[in-house]
């Protein structure tokens, strides 16, 4: 097709298969190309390291799948910060796993002592009930790594009696509605649930034609296919960075069956949120 | 891999022996996928399983074919299988693009599922870049078909009766050597690969495609689904008394998920 300036360009298409990748070319891959592709694939492999038994971390899956009754996954900075503010603390929870990954958007940090703005993916277990597992995943998991994440994480747990809760955020500009998104009171919560999930949801369901993508979609798809009760709470927000208004939009979840018993002291939450606010302010100030 | 919806009570996987499988290629304008949406929505097909794969970009949403409050809360994923046993008809709908370098494994997996399920035949709905047509293709119908040799033997005559046009082969080296001709489906996604593999594996496959460009592809979807209907007679075509045509456009049911295809409402403050 020709642009306004008369140059001829290849029209982008939704076909999903670039014509450069067509069958003829792929057959001509040299051993060097294959080696490069293999190296790239290896670099993009994700590692899940568990420390379920006390002692040194064990690579990959534990000796045998561990029992899990509740799996709460927070994807994105705000969702992870919500769990840090209202659920997690160093007394009742212990770190039992970490995901190491690299892609063009981020590399996970090596430590478990992370800031809310870092890129990390950590697993915590409730000390009083080791079948309750929590995951904070604030790094971006690329589309070619999402399936790996699913298989390596869910592959380690027994699925009987498992219930999954997923928290994530999304720009409100992506929300499709008859009205304009400018007039919508954001942030707001919408939910999607699998067939097996029979409990009450804490907010309205996500209407057609809206869809969810990326890791939250991958986890929910997995649960739908393998008949695991699961619910996804997606917060539509107009703030890109970590902010307390978005974090607090998740508060209705604190009265849900899964999270009710895990909520920590209100004063702790307020302290954490205040600290978050001041940290953000310092970083946002471009003047010395 | 195919995962049936209903796995309780020891019921076996649904039996697709002798069925026709209809599926889209993710191609220019998403015309195949839109046409499949029309088929599933109009025939009110039942979901019987998922195509669980690491080759497609993940996505979820609520039932795209919802007609009422009650049936709007069923979750849908990126690749699902629907069935209409009375017509021995199964449809695979694909809702997201391929992950890089994963289209080949997907084709392998799909064709081995076709073989192991003993489908009688596969019909692939697809499309191709309209701007790559040659002078002859610019005239006449924009719809084309292709049949694998095994299906050609079975129903080749029917295509003649329907007066359908077979997809033309193009010169492998245009301008240099016009004698060597190859099949070229630009913008067709995995269409060519699936067709070639089906030819070599003895699978009865038909490809129905339309030349189109990116844009509002709803009319293209209607054209393609009417084309399919000329052959399969999925819905009765009424003869319109006013212009004596067998136009079935009004009888295809548009699914509720086609709302807001081109964006949200406008902010009042704009005016």
């Amino acid at each position: 097709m020709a642009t306004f300036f008369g140059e001829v360009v290849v029209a982008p298409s939704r076909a999903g298969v670039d014509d450069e990748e067509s069958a003829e070319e792929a057959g001509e891959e040299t051993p060097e190309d294959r080696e490069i592709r293999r190296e790239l694939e290896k670099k993009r492999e994700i590692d899940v390291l568990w420390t379920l038994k006390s002692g040194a971390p064990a690579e990959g899956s534990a000796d045998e799948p561990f029992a899990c009754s509740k799996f709460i996954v927070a994807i994105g900075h705000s969702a992870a910060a919500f769990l840090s503010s209202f659920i997690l603390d160093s007394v009742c929870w212990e770190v039992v796993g970490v995901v190491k990954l690299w892609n063009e958007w981020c590399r996970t940090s090596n430590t478990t002592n992370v800031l809310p703005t870092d890129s990390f993916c950590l697993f915590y277990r409730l000390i009083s009930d080791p079948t309750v597992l929590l995951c904070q995943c604030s790094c971006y998991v690329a589309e070619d790594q999402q399936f790996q994440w699913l298989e390596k994480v869910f592959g380690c747990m027994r699925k009987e009696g498992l219930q999954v809760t997923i928290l994530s955020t999304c720009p409100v500009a992506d929300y499709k509605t008859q009205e304009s998104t400018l007039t919508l009171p954001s942030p707001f919560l919408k939910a999607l649930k699998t067939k097996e999930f029979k409990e009450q949801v804490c907010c309205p369901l996500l209407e057609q034609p809206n869809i969810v993508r990326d890791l939250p979609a991958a986890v929910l798809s997995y649960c739908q296919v393998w008949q695991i009760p699961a619910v996804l709470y997606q917060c539509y927000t107009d703030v890109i960075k970590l902010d307390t208004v978005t974090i607090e939009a998740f508060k209705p979840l604190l009265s849900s069956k899964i999270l009710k018993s895990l909520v920590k002291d209100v004063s702790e939450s307020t302290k954490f949120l205040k600290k978050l606010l001041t940290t953000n302010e310092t970083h946002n100030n471009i003047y010395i | 891999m195919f995962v049936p919806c209903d796995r309780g009570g020891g019921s076996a996987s649904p039996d697709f022996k002798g069925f026709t499988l209809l599926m889209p290629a993710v191609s220019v304008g998403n015309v195949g996928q839109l046409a499949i949406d029309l088929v599933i929505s109009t025939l009110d097909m039942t979901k019987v399983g998922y195509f669980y794969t690491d080759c497609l970009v993940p996505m979820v949403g609520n039932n795209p074919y919802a007609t009422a409050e009650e049936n709007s809360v069923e979750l849908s994923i990126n690749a699902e299988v629907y069935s209409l046993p009375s017509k021995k008809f199964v449809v695979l709908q694909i809702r997201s693009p391929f992950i890089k370098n994963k289209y080949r494994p997907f084709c392998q997996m799909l064709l081995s599922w076709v073989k192991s399920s003993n489908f009688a035949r596969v019909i692939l709905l697809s499309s191709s870049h309209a701007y790559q047509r040659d002078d002859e293709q610019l005239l006449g119908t924009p719809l084309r078909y292709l049949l694998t040799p095994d299906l050609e033997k079975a129903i080749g005559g029917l295509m003649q009766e329907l007066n359908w046009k077979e997809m033309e082969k193009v010169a492998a080296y245009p301008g240099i050597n016009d004698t060597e001709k190859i099949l070229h489906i630009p913008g067709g996604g995995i269409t060519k690969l699936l067709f070639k593999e089906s030819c070599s594996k003895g699978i009865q496959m038909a490809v129905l495609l339309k030349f189109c460009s990116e844009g509002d592809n709803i009319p293209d979807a209607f054209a393609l689904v009417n084309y399919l209907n000329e052959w399969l007679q999925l819905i009765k075509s009424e003869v319109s008394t006013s212009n004596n045509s067998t136009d079935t456009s009004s009888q295809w049911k548009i699914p509720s998920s086609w709302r807001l295809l081109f964006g949200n409402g406008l902010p009042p403050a704009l005016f």
Side-chain angles (χ1 to χ4, degrees):
Chain A
M1 76 175 204
T3 64
F4 291 119
F5 300 105
E7 76 228 37
V8 176
V9 295
V10 176
S13 116
R14 300 172 235 167
V17 172
D18 296 328
D19 283 321
E20 292 90 69
E21 277 179 48
S22 64
E24 292 90 62
E25 269 85 318
E28 293 164 10
E29 197 180 47
T30 65
E32 286 90 18
D33 291 336
R34 220 170 296 141
E35 185 61 36
I36 293 172
R37 195 163 49 80
R38 249 204 303 267
E39 287 295 312
L40 267 171
E41 273 171 15
K42 227 165 102 182
K43 200 171 174 192
R44 297 179 72 89
E45 253 176 43
I46 67 175
D47 293 315
V48 184
L49 301 159
W50 298 101
T51 47
L52 293 160
K53 303 188 175 52
S54 53
E59 165 90 44
S61 62
D63 295 345
E64 54 174 73
F66 56 87
C68 189
S69 63
K70 289 186 191 172
F71 184 33
I72 303 152
V73 191
I75 301 169
H77 289 290
S78 295
F82 168 75
L83 290 186
S84 297
S85 316
F86 293 94
I87 311 281
L88 279 173
D89 60 28
S90 48
V91 171
C92 305
W93 297 85
E94 54 175 355
V95 177
V96 291
V98 63
V99 170
K100 283 204 163 67
L101 65 86
W102 172 89
N103 56 50
E104 294 80 1
W105 293 270
C106 74
R107 178 196 298 277
T108 50
S109 63
N110 270 335
T111 85
T112 52
N113 189 13
V114 288
L115 289 172
T117 44
D118 288 344
S119 277
F120 58 90
C121 184
L122 292 168
F123 294 89
Y124 303 83
R125 183 170 62 181
L126 189 63
I127 296 175
S128 57
D129 180 1
T131 65
V132 178
L133 195 71
L134 194 149
C135 171
Q136 286 181 313
C137 183
S138 71
C139 59
Y140 177 66
V141 181
E143 52 185 42
D144 59 312
Q145 297 171 315
Q146 285 155 14
F147 193 80
Q148 265 192 69
W149 192 100
L150 281 179
E151 294 289 307
K152 289 191 175 174
V153 170
F154 280 94
C156 296
M157 29 176 115
R158 290 212 293 271
K159 269 71 115 194
E160 300 86 44
L162 172 63
Q163 190 170 59
V164 179
T165 305
I166 310 151
L167 283 68
S168 79
T169 51
C170 174
V172 74
D174 286 352
Y175 183 67
K176 290 205 162 62
T177 171
Q178 198 61 53
E179 330 145 14
S180 154
T181 50
L182 284 178
T183 51
L184 278 177
S186 67
F188 56 88
L189 276 183
K190 291 285 177 185
L192 277 177
K193 56 183 176 144
T194 62
K195 198 166 174 189
E196 301 296 316
F197 187 84
K198 306 287 185 209
E199 285 167 27
Q200 280 274 70
V201 290
C202 308
C203 64
L205 291 176
L206 186 63
E207 317 82 359
Q208 296 87 353
N210 289 288
I211 58 169
V212 172
R213 298 171 221 257
D214 292 327
L215 192 62
V219 177
L220 201 65
S221 300
Y222 183 94
C223 294
Q224 173 75 354
V225 172
W226 303 115
Q227 298 179 330
I228 300 170
V231 62
L232 159 66
Y233 290 104
Q234 176 118 301
C235 178
Y236 286 89
T237 173
D238 48 13
V239 182
I240 310 168
K241 291 211 278 252
L242 187 61
D243 88 305
T244 51
V245 178
T246 306
I247 294 170
E248 296 201 306
F250 283 108
K251 269 167 99 167
L253 273 64
L254 296 176
S255 55
S256 72
K257 206 167 156 201
I258 288 201
L259 294 183
K260 207 157 47 173
S261 52
L262 304 171
V263 184
K264 67 184 184 193
D265 199 55
V266 160
S267 59
E268 294 273 330
S269 311
T270 326
K271 218 170 32 179
F272 184 90
L273 283 170
K274 245 198 196 141
K275 194 166 140 200
L276 198 68
L277 209 63
T278 46
T279 323
N280 264 2
E281 275 171 15
T282 326
H283 285 215
N284 286 342
N285 195 347
I286 62 169
Y287 304 107
I288 297 169
Chain B
M1 60 188 273
F2 174 72
V3 180
C5 283
D6 250 322
R7 293 198 290 288
S11 59
S13 193
D15 183 15
F16 296 139
K17 188 166 175 169
F19 278 43
T20 297
L21 171 67
L22 179 70
M23 62 168 285
V26 180
S27 56
V28 55
N30 304 101
V31 177
Q33 295 158 288
L34 290 171
I36 299 258
D37 261 352
L38 286 171
V39 171
I40 297 172
S41 170
T42 309
L43 300 179
D44 201 17
M45 296 179 77
T46 321
K47 181 157 60 178
V48 295
Y50 309 99
F51 213 76
Y52 183 63
T53 168
D54 63 337
C55 302
L56 295 167
V57 171
M59 64 132 284
V60 286
N62 271 330
N63 183 10
Y65 312 112
T67 47
E69 192 73 42
E70 298 79 50
N71 61 20
S72 66
V73 297
E74 204 188 303
L75 199 67
S76 270
I77 68 167
N78 57 5
E80 297 184 317
V81 180
Y82 297 77
S83 161
L84 190 64
S86 57
K87 288 199 155 85
K88 292 191 96 170
F89 192 56
V90 165
V91 174
L92 165 67
Q93 175 63 303
I94 300 173
R95 301 195 172 97
S96 61
F98 292 108
I99 291 177
K100 201 167 166 63
N101 294 323
K102 288 287 192 174
Y103 68 94
R104 281 180 176 280
F106 181 81
C107 291
Q108 311 282 28
M109 207 178 17
L110 179 79
L111 292 179
S112 79
W113 177 58
V114 165
K115 283 234 137 173
S116 63
S117 305
N118 291 308
F119 281 107
R121 63 180 63 147
V122 181
I123 303 173
L124 182 67
L125 296 185
S126 180
S127 54
S128 184
H129 284 310
Y131 70 84
Q132 293 230 2
R133 289 174 292 176
D134 62 26
D135 294 345
E136 280 182 38
Q137 288 171 325
L138 280 170
L139 308 165
T141 172
L143 296 156
R144 296 286 188 277
Y145 78 94
L146 277 169
L147 299 178
T148 56
D150 292 85
L151 191 54
E152 176 82 49
K153 271 186 236 145
I155 62 157
L158 177 60
M159 300 300 150
Q160 251 64 286
E161 275 175 51
L162 288 171
N163 207 16
W164 277 12
K165 220 165 170 187
E166 193 173 3
M167 181 70 172
E168 303 91 335
K169 287 203 160 113
V170 297
Y173 307 103
I176 300 169
N177 176 0
D178 277 340
T179 49
E180 199 184 326
K181 300 269 190 193
I182 54 162
L183 188 61
H184 186 47
I185 310 176
I190 55 170
T191 305
K192 185 173 158 185
L193 179 61
L194 273 180
F195 183 72
K196 277 171 81 171
E197 291 288 304
S198 299
C199 288
S200 59
K201 288 184 160 76
I203 293 175
Q204 291 194 5
M205 174 182 279
V207 174
L208 269 58
L209 65 83
K210 183 177 193 295
F211 290 116
C212 68
S213 304
E214 298 279 349
D216 180 356
N217 300 107
I218 293 176
D220 299 310
F222 274 101
L224 192 59
V225 81
N226 283 329
Y227 191 51
L228 174 72
N229 198 51
E230 281 176 35
W231 172 18
L232 292 187
Q233 296 291 305
L234 294 167
I235 62 173
K236 290 269 173 292
S237 36
E238 287 168 1
V239 178
S240 157
T241 46
S242 54
N243 54 6
N244 209 29
S245 68
T246 49
D247 178 26
T248 50
S249 296
S250 52
Q251 292 157 273
W252 296 104
K253 194 162 88 176
I254 291 185
S256 50
S257 56
W258 283 21
R259 285 176 58 236
L260 304 173
L261 272 177
F262 298 101
N264 291 345
L266 298 167
L270 195 64
F271 304 106

